[in-house]
Amino acid sequence: MTTEKKPFQRLPTNVVPANYFIRLKPDLEKFTFDGQEEITVAIKKSTKSVVLNSSEIKISEVKFFGDVQKFESGIQITYSKEEETVTFAFPEDLKIGSGKLVLSFTGELNNKMKGFYRSKYLSPEGEERYGAVTQFEPTDARLAFPCWDEPAIKATFDIVLVVPKDRLALSNMPCIDESDLEENPSWKVMKFGRSPLMSTYLVAFVIGEYDCVSGKDSDGVHVCVYTPVGKKEQGRFALEVAVKTLPFYKEYFKIAYPLPKMDLVAISDFAAGAMENWGLVTYREARLLVDEANSSASSKQDVALVVGHEIAHQWFGNLVTMEWWTHLWLNEGFASWIEYLCVDHCFRDYDIWTQFASYDFTRALELDALRNSHPIEVPVGHPSEVDEIFDVISYSKGASVIRMLHDFIGDQDFRDGMHLYLSRHKYKNTFTEDLWAALGEASGKPIQAIMSSWTQQMGFPVIRVEQIVHGDKRKLKLKQERFLADGSKDEKNYQWMVPVTIATASSPDKTIHQIVLNKREEEIEVTGVNKKDWLKLNVGAVGFYRTLYPADMLESLLSGISNQTLPPRDRLGLSNDLFALARAGFTSCADVLKVVGAFENETNYTVWTDLSTNLSIISVILQYTDFHDNFDAFIRKLFRPSMKRLGWDPVSKEGHLNAMLRSVLIGRLGKAGDEEVIAEAKVRFAKHCKGAELLPADLRNAVYSIAMKYGSESEYEELLKLYRKADLHEEKLRVLRSLGSTKDRGLLKRTLEFSLSDEVRSQDTIFAVAGVTGSVEGRELAWKFIQDNWPVLYERYNGIFLLTRLVKATTENFVTEERAVEIENFFKANPAPAAERTIQQSLENIRLNKKQLDHDRESLKGFLATYH
């Protein structure tokens, strides 16, 4: 099924830009824009033609004014739709020196959430209006203006926007001049300050109607959060985070934020979560706005993380930029790590590093165990290949190996290395090796040698441990091999340099022994260990590997789970390893469920979340058996004690994490058919819909889903009313996710049809479709829906990463070879190059599901037989 990569050549560098002057006038009724551009260029080598990127733009005029040459006519314009380029052929060779390319052009304000596009919103009076916004990463600046649209070809930018007087216009830099448009005084001309040297993908402009809340950070940087009109109070939390975050990064990197302002803007139609445009960060509404009455604790936390992530990019990505998309992980992996450091600084009560272990670390391990994973550094050629690597490997594995490296070299050396890296390469472009060199210089450690094994080859090791006890000494034999999700052997014979840490029951959260395992096998001796102490590898679940313990070592660790002397991150890491090892066939799933019983008294939100996620994977597989009800009974027994302890209603000062845990427990028990929880959820849902007693935001996801699963068409209609009434994007998403919880086939079909209606923004369709896939029948219907509507969906999402999300959600949870072949054949007939790796990963997961079901069916049936 693999399609050949398109041949690709980067742009010639015989002519390169130094500055762009760009004037754009969007028409918000016809959805077009007029543009004029003056590009100051350096001609490095005599040439008769200049090639730059341009896509879906009609250039009406091109002129050239050089030091000793001038061409005002006779320049031939040739477009390549396939290569997304335009070539200007001149009457004679351009001479070495400098000059100006002067262009006039028109383009479309498209509806595809990329390039320069239109975004629909409602005025406070309910009138439908449009704004014009940008999303250029990775390669869509070329949809807005002809340019050298490659990250390494940096220039400065002077932006002028011509807009109606009743609209706000923003760009990367502050507005330095505003005047009436001579030919039409109802329009204004806004000129923005010259930008620093930067890549085209970081240029941005936003035109629309907004309110704002503003403040200054401790260094005097002006920070503004722009919200839909009438919602400025919903921007206050993000403002608080941003004002704290900018000085934190300045202090961490020892480099001041280089721009005079920082704007954060909520965009109504937005494909990604957010985009780090320098000085003008754009966000999906649900990733920036917080309504104190209607936003959940988890959403508020997500806003803090995303704001922290995007502001980190202002240094790491914007000031210093990867040389090419092969090194994308430098941007995303680093920002995905340091966002947690930042949020931990701002909100200590979030226990955010434990959440990192579940949200990023274990997700990366799960994907990277597939044969269809990819290395952190992926050779990227044609722009169509770029979208595929905006994934868990670039973000979450990247973050995880940075975290492992930070732990290995220590915080101060890491900070010193980061300062060296950013100072040495500011306003320039880098390769991964440049970061390793700076961190190596700062720490005096062989960073390049250690880290290349983690970034240039896919996968990670499982470390097998054997132990011999001699009094207070433990002799450990460690053996590394690649861990594959299907339990097979790695024919590539990969090997890693693995920082291994060890803790014991007497020092549970402190590393007492550390080595770098740099060969296949090694024996070590750990001294001063109490004979009765458990011993655990990978302290704090920091090392990017799994551990396979012998029965005696695992048995001793179970007491650390039940009495919670094992810290939360270690409890989480241990249980997550066990589920993965069972899926790979190293142990039986039934044996892992026996171990899970030790978590009955668990109190930590993140540990419960990770357990719930792993149990959900087993639940999906067991939906295809006749003993799924027994599994639900097992879930009820496991989760009930914590639910009884926590209760339905928050208590005074209970904290952020308990609010999130309550939702996990209620949701899981409701799905598993707990009658008390279902009855209470129905009562509370009815009161909420009548307006008699509103549900706390933290409970709505769980209660909506339960009410829908055990309800009928009347509950469905109530949810639709809530959707139509909701003014908060977060609330709309909650409803969309819940509609598909129904057991009614007709309502499942209706949900899928609704997902493509005008009532659902195209960025949100995925939430409604994915919500349907939780049941066997829903999964079948969703897959048929994808096939029946593929032309529409492909046209809508091709070129943005939502396509891969849609494919993943609707394919990966089947359990038969027949269905895998059907999916494979469908995508052979309907190629989706940007989603190709995702398709292969889904096929691999389907076959893993089948293998696990075949391997564990009888032992699970026997183990679960006593649960009713």
Side-chain angles (χ1 to χ4, degrees):
M1 181 179 152
T2 305
T3 56
E4 280 190 33
K5 287 192 172 186
K6 293 180 181 177
F8 175 71
Q9 282 188 318
R10 286 164 67 168
L11 293 174
T13 53
N14 49 8
V15 178
V16 292
N19 171 262
Y20 295 84
F21 172 87
I22 301 165
R23 185 182 193 267
L24 295 171
K25 181 174 184 275
D27 186 324
L28 298 174
E29 292 177 353
K30 294 179 181 174
F31 304 134
T32 59
F33 61 90
D34 296 325
Q36 289 85 42
E37 188 173 17
E38 288 183 14
I39 312 173
T40 303
V41 297
I43 301 146
K44 307 273 191 181
K45 187 179 176 184
S46 181
T47 179
K48 196 169 184 178
S49 64
V50 175
V51 183
L52 54 161
N53 293 115
S54 184
S55 180
E56 298 177 27
I57 282 175
K58 179 69 177 171
I59 299 169
S60 55
E61 187 177 49
V62 56
K63 298 177 182 179
F64 177 80
F65 301 93
D67 294 338
V68 293
Q69 294 169 291
K70 181 166 73 171
F71 302 108
E72 295 190 65
S73 62
I75 303 171
Q76 290 184 335
I77 303 171
T78 307
Y79 301 97
S80 169
K81 186 175 182 181
E82 179 72 17
E83 296 300 323
E84 299 182 342
T85 59
V86 62
T87 301
F88 302 134
F90 297 90
E92 61 185 63
D93 282 4
L94 300 182
K95 294 181 169 57
I96 293 172
S98 61
K100 279 190 179 179
L101 271 173
V102 180
L103 313 176
S104 297
F105 56 89
T106 55
E108 180 193 4
L109 291 174
N110 69 68
N111 63 349
K112 295 181 180 179
M113 294 183 286
K114 63 179 184 176
F116 194 18
Y117 69 92
R118 61 187 186 262
S119 176
K120 185 169 70 175
Y121 62 94
L122 296 178
S123 72
E125 298 74 38
E127 182 188 342
E128 193 175 278
R129 292 183 187 168
Y130 285 88
V133 300
T134 57
Q135 171 60 40
F136 290 161
E137 189 182 26
T139 55
D140 290 318
R142 63 193 67 178
L143 287 165
F145 53 92
C147 58
W148 281 259
D149 200 10
E150 296 182 1
I153 305 179
K154 291 189 171 186
T156 57
F157 292 82
D158 295 296
I159 304 293
V160 175
L161 297 174
V162 183
V163 299
K165 274 191 175 173
D166 62 352
R167 295 296 193 269
L168 176 77
L170 302 168
S171 189
N172 304 83
M173 299 296 286
C175 179
I176 56 172
D177 184 68
E178 183 177 322
S179 59
D180 288 353
L181 181 65
E182 280 186 24
E183 59 266 36
N184 187 346
S186 65
W187 286 63
K188 60 186 175 181
V189 180
M190 299 185 69
K191 182 179 180 183
F192 298 87
R194 177 165 292 186
S195 79
L197 206 60
M198 61 193 254
S199 304
T200 48
Y201 80 88
L202 295 168
V203 176
F205 11 96
V206 171
I207 298 148
E209 295 174 278
Y210 296 92
D211 281 344
C212 92
V213 285
S214 63
K216 288 191 175 180
D217 76 358
S218 56
D219 297 303
V221 176
H222 191 257
V223 183
C224 239
V225 178
Y226 289 90
T227 73
V229 174
K231 296 183 180 180
K232 70 178 184 178
E233 291 306 310
Q234 294 178 16
R236 292 207 177 274
F237 178 71
L239 178 66
E240 174 196 341
V241 176
V243 165
K244 287 179 181 175
T245 297
L246 280 165
F248 171 78
Y249 288 136
K250 176 206 163 191
E251 180 59 30
Y252 196 88
F253 298 131
K254 297 296 183 199
I255 294 174
Y257 174 66
L259 273 64
K261 59 95 171 174
M262 165 58 67
D263 292 337
L264 300 82
V265 190
I267 306 294
S268 49
D269 288 307
F270 200 74
M275 175 60 208
E276 67 267 20
N277 317 297
W278 214 352
L280 180 60
V281 184
T282 45
Y283 295 80
R284 188 181 277 226
E285 286 184 9
R287 289 291 175 264
L288 187 68
L289 306 182
V290 170
D291 179 338
E292 292 299 336
N294 292 296
S295 289
S296 65
S298 61
S299 291
K300 193 171 180 179
Q301 178 181 284
D302 285 347
V303 167
L305 285 166
V306 174
V307 169
H309 180 104
E310 303 307 329
I311 292 180
H313 276 312
Q314 308 302 300
W315 285 263
F316 211 97
N318 299 7
L319 181 64
V320 178
T321 311
M322 76 263 150
E323 196 277 339
W324 186 246
W325 301 107
T326 294
H327 305 276
L328 171 73
W329 88 276
L330 274 178
N331 280 17
E332 299 304 346
F334 184 84
S336 298
W337 169 75
I338 206 168
E339 70 184 63
Y340 284 87
L341 198 70
C342 166
V343 169
D344 191 48
H345 166 77
C346 296
F347 304 99
R348 299 293 300 186
D349 60 321
Y350 284 10
D351 185 29
I352 203 69
W353 281 114
T354 304
Q355 295 190 58
F356 175 91
S358 181
Y359 292 174
D360 283 273
F361 174 71
T362 58
R363 285 178 66 224
L365 287 169
E366 181 186 349
L367 180 57
D368 205 29
L370 298 179
R371 287 187 173 273
N372 285 290
S373 181
H374 64 83
I376 283 177
E377 293 183 69
V378 183
V380 171
H382 197 279
S384 64
E385 298 166 29
V386 180
D387 284 327
E388 229 184 339
I389 60 168
F390 280 86
D391 68 355
V392 168
I393 299 300
S394 295
Y395 284 73
S396 298
K397 183 180 179 181
S400 297
V401 299
I402 290 283
R403 175 175 173 242
M404 179 170 66
L405 177 61
H406 173 267
D407 184 74
F408 176 65
I409 68 176
D411 186 64
Q412 191 55 55
D413 283 349
F414 191 87
R415 285 179 181 233
D416 292 344
M418 291 311 307
H419 173 72
L420 180 61
Y421 170 79
L422 291 169
S423 301
R424 181 179 286 167
H425 301 289
K426 62 185 176 184
Y427 303 110
K428 297 176 187 170
N429 296 80
T430 56
F431 299 86
T432 298
E433 292 76 16
D434 296 316
L435 178 61
W436 299 156
L439 291 169
E441 284 178 49
S443 66
K445 293 182 176 176
I447 304 304
Q448 169 73 44
I450 292 172
M451 296 309 293
S452 60
S453 70
W454 294 100
T455 63
Q456 292 175 7
Q457 61 189 24
M458 71 172 82
F460 60 89
V462 56
I463 296 180
R464 295 173 180 264
V465 193
E466 293 176 19
Q467 170 185 260
I468 298 173
V469 180
H470 292 299
D472 69 347
K473 294 177 183 175
R474 305 279 177 99
K475 183 179 270 190
L476 300 179
K477 183 179 179 182
L478 308 178
K479 180 182 178 182
Q480 65 159 300
E481 61 189 63
R482 184 180 176 192
F483 178 79
L484 285 161
D486 63 0
S488 62
K489 293 294 179 188
D490 172 33
E491 60 280 356
K492 293 183 178 173
N493 222 23
Y494 284 152
Q495 195 170 305
W496 290 263
M497 293 181 73
V498 191
V500 176
T501 53
I502 297 171
T504 66
S506 299
S507 302
D509 49 10
K510 183 181 173 188
T511 297
I512 64 159
H513 195 91
Q514 180 171 1
I515 66 157
V516 175
L517 180 62
N518 58 6
K519 47 193 174 187
R520 188 73 58 197
E521 292 184 38
E522 190 159 343
E523 289 190 4
I524 61 171
E525 188 170 86
V526 184
T527 59
V529 183
N530 187 307
K531 193 172 183 179
K532 293 184 179 178
D533 273 4
W534 49 254
L535 182 147
K536 183 184 178 294
L537 273 65
N538 202 1
V539 181
V542 171
F544 198 74
Y545 58 89
R546 295 203 183 277
T547 309
L548 178 59
Y549 295 100
D552 61 325
M553 289 183 78
L554 181 59
E555 187 67 35
S556 67
L557 283 164
L558 295 187
S559 63
I561 293 173
S562 52
N563 63 24
Q564 298 193 10
T565 54
L566 200 61
R569 261 173 263 169
D570 291 287
R571 299 199 297 272
L572 185 155
L574 182 62
S575 71
N576 195 280
D577 279 356
L578 288 171
F579 278 104
L581 290 163
R583 186 161 171 79
F586 285 89
T587 184
S588 85
C589 196
D591 287 343
V592 174
L593 293 186
K594 291 170 191 171
V595 171
V596 165
F599 287 91
E600 198 171 61
N601 298 313
E602 182 58 59
T603 56
N604 184 275
Y605 157 73
T606 314
V607 177
W608 270 121
T609 300
D610 200 68
L611 272 172
S612 183
T613 300
N614 281 300
L615 290 166
S616 291
I617 294 168
I618 296 172
S619 180
V620 164
I621 296 169
L622 295 187
Q623 286 175 345
Y624 295 89
T625 70
D626 58 0
F627 55 92
H628 188 258
D629 287 349
N630 302 80
F631 183 73
D632 279 343
F634 170 80
I635 295 291
R636 294 194 295 270
K637 182 178 186 302
L638 179 65
F639 280 72
R640 266 178 190 152
S642 286
M643 182 62 208
K644 291 198 183 305
R645 175 182 60 80
L646 205 58
W648 272 84
D649 298 305
V651 296
S652 177
K653 297 180 181 177
E654 72 169 1
H656 171 85
L657 295 168
N658 272 351
M660 296 201 294
L661 175 56
R662 182 175 288 107
S663 178
V664 171
L665 298 174
I666 291 170
R668 175 54 63 193
L669 283 166
K671 266 187 190 169
D674 186 286
E675 291 180 2
E676 283 183 34
V677 166
I678 293 166
E680 184 65 22
K682 283 184 169 183
V683 169
R684 290 180 182 239
F685 179 74
K687 287 180 179 177
H688 177 74
C689 293
K690 289 173 185 170
E693 190 178 326
L694 292 183
L695 280 164
D698 293 309
L699 297 187
R700 290 183 195 173
N701 259 336
V703 170
Y704 290 176
S705 294
I706 295 167
M708 195 62 257
K709 181 171 183 176
Y710 301 99
S712 60
E713 191 168 0
S714 63
E715 282 79 10
Y716 192 89
E717 293 297 340
E718 289 295 341
L719 271 179
L720 281 180
K721 281 183 198 170
L722 291 175
Y723 179 85
R724 289 166 179 148
K725 189 172 70 174
D727 193 32
L728 184 70
H729 189 220
E730 178 190 333
E731 176 73 357
K732 284 186 178 291
L733 294 183
R734 273 195 284 260
V735 175
L736 283 176
R737 287 189 187 103
S738 302
L739 288 171
S741 300
T742 178
K743 297 176 183 176
D744 184 289
R745 184 180 179 84
L747 294 178
L748 287 167
K749 283 184 169 181
R750 190 172 156 194
T751 301
L752 292 166
E753 289 159 9
F754 181 67
S755 76
L756 283 181
S757 72
D758 290 342
E759 287 192 73
V760 178
R761 292 187 180 275
S762 61
Q763 72 202 33
D764 297 335
T765 297
I766 177 68
F767 296 103
V769 175
V772 166
T773 64
S775 64
V776 171
E777 185 169 35
R779 210 166 291 135
E780 298 285 343
L781 289 170
W783 170 232
K784 185 173 188 310
F785 174 80
I786 293 297
Q787 295 172 86
D788 291 346
N789 293 278
W790 183 250
V792 173
L793 294 166
Y794 188 74
E795 171 65 21
R796 183 189 278 197
Y797 298 125
N798 188 35
I800 54 177
F801 68 92
L802 290 173
L803 187 71
T804 60
R805 298 265 176 96
L806 197 64
V807 168
K808 176 179 164 66
T810 54
T811 57
E812 69 176 354
N813 287 329
F814 292 108
V815 299
T816 65
E817 178 61 24
E818 293 75 16
R819 185 48 51 88
V821 170
E822 180 189 316
I823 291 167
E824 196 165 21
N825 288 337
F826 176 79
F827 286 112
K828 275 181 185 172
N830 300 275
E836 186 176 319
R837 185 177 280 114
T838 301
I839 295 161
Q840 294 300 329
Q841 289 166 351
S842 279
L843 294 172
E844 189 173 349
N845 270 316
I846 293 168
R847 288 166 175 138
L848 283 168
N849 291 341
K850 179 184 185 305
K851 183 178 178 184
Q852 185 170 14
L853 187 55
D854 291 346
H855 178 266
D856 285 322
R857 183 192 297 265
E858 292 310 314
S859 60
L860 277 172
K861 188 171 187 175
F863 170 74
L864 293 169
T866 57
Y867 292 90
H868 300 287

